[in-house]
Amino acid sequence: NLYNITENSAIHWIDLMIYNFGESISSINFPRLVSKNGTSFDTDLINLKFKNELSVSIFASYATPLIDDIIILGTNGFLTINNNSLKIYYPRDTFDENGLFTKPKNCIQKEFKLDSIIKQSLENSVNYFLKYVKNSKEFDISYFNSCIESNRLTLNLHKDDM
């Protein structure tokens, strides 16, 4: 499959964004084969825009060293998740001695073990699904619709290449 990186890796981040922010109103991607190994794209940059004017960029690659960093930029600061740490820097309007923007010095820091959180999330999802199947209960259709939207968006990213 030409789009392995998008359909096997980036789709999880796409799904998370759609689950939290709703349907994307526009999307574009820039897939590339960087490593020259194989024939599938190994790198993809995906930009999404949502109805609330939120913009998201997702970078996924099999051709780079493994970096599990998350950066969220806001209007008054930013959040980073890396090296088992979550940090929130604020305020945006932080200046150096020359009056130029500089990294905010205020920081809230918490332990954040991404690997453990991902594992726990997967366990919770499977247990949620099994509970509903075991008890023959109907699940919230919005969860299903969110997944459908993620798959639709992922397939539409490369519809012009098909």
Side-chain angles (χ1 to χ4, degrees):
N1 178 343
L2 188 59
Y3 290 90
N4 279 331
I5 188 67
T6 309
E7 295 171 359
N8 292 326
S9 181
I11 191 168
H12 300 291
W13 296 106
I14 292 169
D15 194 44
L16 180 64
M17 297 303 110
I18 290 172
Y19 179 79
N20 283 288
F21 306 120
E23 184 179 341
S24 170
I25 58 173
S26 68
S27 60
I28 188 167
N29 74 323
F30 305 95
R32 295 185 56 215
L33 177 57
V34 174
S35 70
K36 307 302 182 223
N37 293 320
T39 57
S40 295
F41 295 125
D42 55 23
T43 302
D44 201 356
L45 172 63
I46 301 161
N47 292 318
L48 308 174
K49 185 174 181 181
F50 294 87
K51 290 178 183 176
N52 63 1
E53 295 299 312
L54 177 77
S55 296
V56 172
S57 295
I58 299 167
F59 178 78
S61 181
Y62 295 139
T64 62
L66 178 63
I67 304 168
D68 278 334
D69 285 5
I70 298 170
I71 301 171
I72 300 172
L73 302 173
T75 56
N76 194 33
F78 67 97
L79 175 145
T80 64
I81 299 172
N82 60 15
N83 299 324
N84 294 323
S85 178
L86 179 149
K87 296 178 183 176
I88 301 172
Y89 295 90
Y90 66 96
R92 174 193 169 269
D93 291 344
T94 303
F95 306 97
D96 66 14
E97 63 278 355
N98 298 315
L100 301 174
F101 277 107
T102 188
K103 184 177 181 178
K105 296 189 183 354
N106 294 332
C107 178
I108 299 170
Q109 183 172 346
K110 295 176 72 172
E111 182 177 75
F112 193 92
K113 295 186 178 184
L114 189 59
D115 288 343
S116 298
I117 290 169
I118 290 170
K119 182 177 184 266
Q120 186 63 50
S121 177
L122 181 58
E123 289 173 4
N124 290 346
S125 295
V126 170
N127 288 336
Y128 175 88
F129 176 76
L130 292 176
K131 178 179 84 174
Y132 276 72
V133 169
K134 181 179 174 184
N135 296 320
S136 300
K137 293 173 62 177
E138 289 187 22
F139 59 91
D140 187 339
I141 196 67
S142 67
Y143 297 152
F144 178 77
N145 290 338
S146 176
C147 292
I148 293 297
E149 176 61 21
S150 299
N151 283 280
R152 182 199 60 77
L153 187 145
T154 302
L155 291 171
N156 282 340
L157 283 172
H158 47 80
K159 69 180 176 192
D160 295 334
D161 298 330
M162 295 181 157

